[in-house]
Amino acid sequence: MPFYKDRIFQWIFAILALLKAGALAYLYFCHPLGEAVLIFPDSLTYVYPAQTWLQYGAFWEAVSSTPMLLRTPGYPVFLAGIQWALGNATWAVVAVQNLLSLFMLVSVYLTAKELAGKTAARWAAGFCAASVLYFSLSFAVLTETLCTFLLAWFVYFLVRFLKKFQTGSLLWASALLAAAIYVRPAAYYFAFAAVILLVCFRAGKLFTYPIWKILAFFALPLGLMVGGWHVRNALQTGFKGFTSVGAYNLYIWNEDYLAKKFNVSVPQAHDALERALPPGFSSLPPARQVQFYKAMALPLIKESFFYKLSRAPLWAVKTLFGANFVHISRLVTGGRTDEALLEGEMSNHTSAMHEKWLQKGLDKALFAGSAGEVFITVWLGICGFFCLWKRRKKETFFLAVYCLYFWGIGSTFFGAYARFRAPFEFVLCITAAIAVVRLKAWRRNQKGKRKKQTL
């Protein structure tokens, strides 16, 4: 039965659509912050290049006329397209993002159906619809919703390929992964992991699809699509990489250690790192800037290595179980916005808990509900991997590597929190659904055994 004829899926989709429409109307007409509730500190770095592309046909770095290298063009093109079509770069963007998060349910439903059948598909759609993370991020001018939408469809087509070995599915997976990389370069290195996984599956005789076809219909088109931005960067700036954000983060990544070492706030440590850059740094060629970032980061990383190693478990837990509460509180009540922005709490959560945000009963209820939903989804999702492994080893291994990759990428610095779980939470929704289905089947079997014993 097609997904659009499934009555239960129709109800899940319709209820979430109504909730989103109501939330959008509340934010637009009643919220005390108005349009500002949609904006994060990072938003300008995407909005400005979008505007320069519309006006001048080129992507410029935020508040400058230098070619964009820190960000990649996927999200600015998305913003520019919506602004050109609808004349608005905030409310219209959020409206479209809510539509994308709605239709992400379709990919989640279809993936779960491929793996475990219709009942699991319904539960997976339900878990995804109940996600407070996806609900809240769809109301933010940030890359997560678009990137996750693309990755969810990528996962569907790759899972479908692993089941049916259709070349068309492999091509779709390649194109969707390339698009996701352009939106959020954190996915960049997963391209290599995906190619290696497919080749290893073939080498291990887990399927008979030829390696040359994997390279021709997945690796090659993926490399050509992603390589286009490398060529643009080399021609316009002399920098041959995909983005300079890795080198920048490698340097700025040390601000939490410096804050602890000198007993200052993280924003103060950030400013100190910016001031430590050599005079005229911003006018240097991009390739030279990247060299400076790496050279200045190396001694700091060596010095802070054991400190960061000791903090890594906390960062991993924050990414996996974070409730995104500061953002949710801001959406529902307006929150403590000035303080949050100054302390960087909207984008980079530096502590495990934010007790100062839990002063009112509504705040505590929001936190309890959000944290409870995340806890249930994550733990059931982990259990679901073990349930799926018995029947679908290739697919389970692929999904596990996928989740571990994005969990690892999102947990490597002090700012790790729920936002970086977005690329893989939908997979946890799928495996959580599989765990629920298996648990229900086990309970039915137990009831059947008890009935036989009583007869």
Side-chain angles (χ1 to χ4, degrees):
M1 179 175 62
F3 72 90
Y4 52 84
K5 292 184 179 180
D6 188 332
R7 289 293 180 88
I8 294 178
F9 177 76
Q10 290 173 3
W11 275 105
I12 293 170
F13 190 93
I15 291 170
L16 182 60
L18 288 173
L19 288 172
K20 285 179 170 293
L24 188 60
Y26 162 71
L27 294 175
Y28 187 83
F29 293 108
C30 306
H31 200 278
L33 297 178
E35 191 178 76
V37 74
L38 312 176
I39 306 300
F40 275 59
D42 289 349
S43 298
L44 178 64
T45 62
Y46 300 106
V47 173
Y48 185 83
Q51 293 173 342
T52 64
W53 190 56
L54 283 173
Q55 294 177 18
Y56 305 105
F59 296 105
W60 293 352
E61 208 66 79
V63 198
S64 74
S65 58
T66 58
M68 183 180 70
L69 282 176
L70 194 65
R71 301 302 185 189
T72 45
Y75 198 59
V77 168
F78 175 74
L79 297 178
I82 294 173
Q83 186 171 352
W84 174 79
L86 302 175
N88 187 284
T90 47
W91 292 109
V93 167
V94 165
V96 173
Q97 287 183 172
N98 274 277
L99 288 174
L100 292 181
S101 68
L102 267 175
F103 284 97
M104 191 174 76
L105 294 183
V106 178
S107 62
V108 169
Y109 178 97
L110 293 174
T111 305
K113 188 177 180 182
E114 291 283 352
L115 292 169
K118 183 174 65 177
T119 303
R122 291 167 170 173
W123 276 99
F127 275 112
C128 194
S131 169
V132 292
L133 178 64
Y134 290 146
F135 193 91
S136 59
L137 285 176
S138 60
F139 293 98
V141 182
L142 290 172
T143 59
E144 272 73 18
T145 297
L146 177 58
C147 184
T148 303
F149 173 81
L150 294 167
L151 287 172
W153 281 102
F154 155 72
V155 166
Y156 164 67
F157 279 108
L158 201 58
V159 165
R160 188 177 181 185
F161 167 76
L162 291 174
K163 182 179 180 181
K164 301 177 180 178
F165 307 111
Q166 297 172 336
T167 298
S169 294
L170 198 60
L171 282 168
W172 271 110
S174 178
L176 287 160
L177 180 55
I181 290 169
Y182 270 99
V183 173
R184 193 160 179 80
Y188 183 89
Y189 292 105
F190 187 75
F192 299 95
V195 173
I196 292 170
L197 271 178
L198 291 175
V199 171
C200 288
F201 286 160
R202 176 62 183 88
K205 298 182 180 180
L206 297 179
F207 56 70
T208 58
Y209 194 82
I211 288 179
W212 75 264
K213 285 190 174 182
I214 294 171
L215 299 177
F217 298 114
F218 184 77
L220 180 61
L222 182 58
L224 290 174
M225 284 182 280
V226 173
W229 193 247
H230 283 272
V231 173
R232 175 267 187 186
N233 290 343
L235 292 177
Q236 289 195 12
T237 70
F239 173 66
K240 298 179 182 179
F242 189 70
T243 171
S244 62
V245 72
Y248 173 79
N249 285 341
L250 197 66
Y251 178 61
I252 296 297
W253 188 51
N254 298 284
E255 57 193 0
D256 63 317
Y257 170 71
L258 294 179
K260 176 182 180 296
K261 179 179 179 180
F262 296 108
N263 195 28
V264 297
S265 68
V266 170
Q268 288 173 323
H270 180 95
D271 291 341
L273 285 169
E274 293 282 4
R275 291 194 302 271
L277 294 170
F281 178 82
S282 59
S283 62
L284 292 173
R288 187 65 177 146
Q289 291 183 18
V290 168
Q291 290 175 355
F292 266 112
Y293 280 137
K294 291 179 178 179
M296 297 179 72
L298 186 59
L300 291 172
I301 291 171
K302 289 180 177 178
E303 182 181 339
S304 65
F305 177 78
F306 288 106
Y307 166 77
K308 290 186 179 296
L309 193 63
S310 70
R311 302 290 289 174
L314 172 62
W315 300 340
V317 169
K318 283 166 62 181
T319 301
L320 192 59
F321 289 100
N324 201 35
F325 173 68
V326 174
H327 184 202
I328 293 168
S329 175
R330 188 175 185 234
L331 285 171
V332 175
T333 66
R336 300 167 61 178
T337 57
D338 293 338
E339 183 177 350
L341 290 173
L342 286 172
E343 295 186 2
E345 289 182 356
M346 286 303 298
S347 294
N348 294 317
H349 291 187
T350 58
S351 57
M353 290 284 291
H354 298 282
E355 293 84 357
K356 60 190 173 186
W357 288 74
L358 297 172
Q359 304 300 318
K360 299 178 181 179
L362 178 58
D363 293 330
K364 294 177 181 178
L366 280 172
F367 178 79
S370 301
E373 181 272 327
V374 172
F375 184 84
I376 291 169
T377 301
V378 170
W379 278 114
L380 283 174
I382 293 171
C383 294
F385 275 101
F386 294 97
C387 299
L388 186 61
W389 175 256
K390 295 179 181 179
R391 298 181 180 181
R392 294 293 188 86
K393 287 183 169 56
K394 298 190 303 293
E395 294 87 339
T396 307
F397 192 77
F398 161 68
L399 293 176
V401 170
Y402 175 90
C403 289
L404 289 171
Y405 170 85
F406 282 103
W407 184 23
I409 287 288
S411 303
T412 53
F413 72 113
F414 75 94
Y417 83 119
R419 177 183 166 191
F420 303 120
R421 190 177 64 250
F424 67 93
E425 183 174 299
F426 69 88
V427 175
L428 296 177
C429 292
I430 293 168
T431 54
I434 293 169
V436 169
V437 170
R438 291 295 300 274
L439 179 62
K440 291 177 70 176
W442 178 80
R443 290 184 64 185
R444 282 196 302 269
N445 290 336
Q446 293 299 110
K447 287 181 180 179
K449 289 179 181 179
R450 285 196 294 269
K451 285 183 180 180
K452 288 181 180 179
Q453 291 173 354
T454 55
L455 292 176

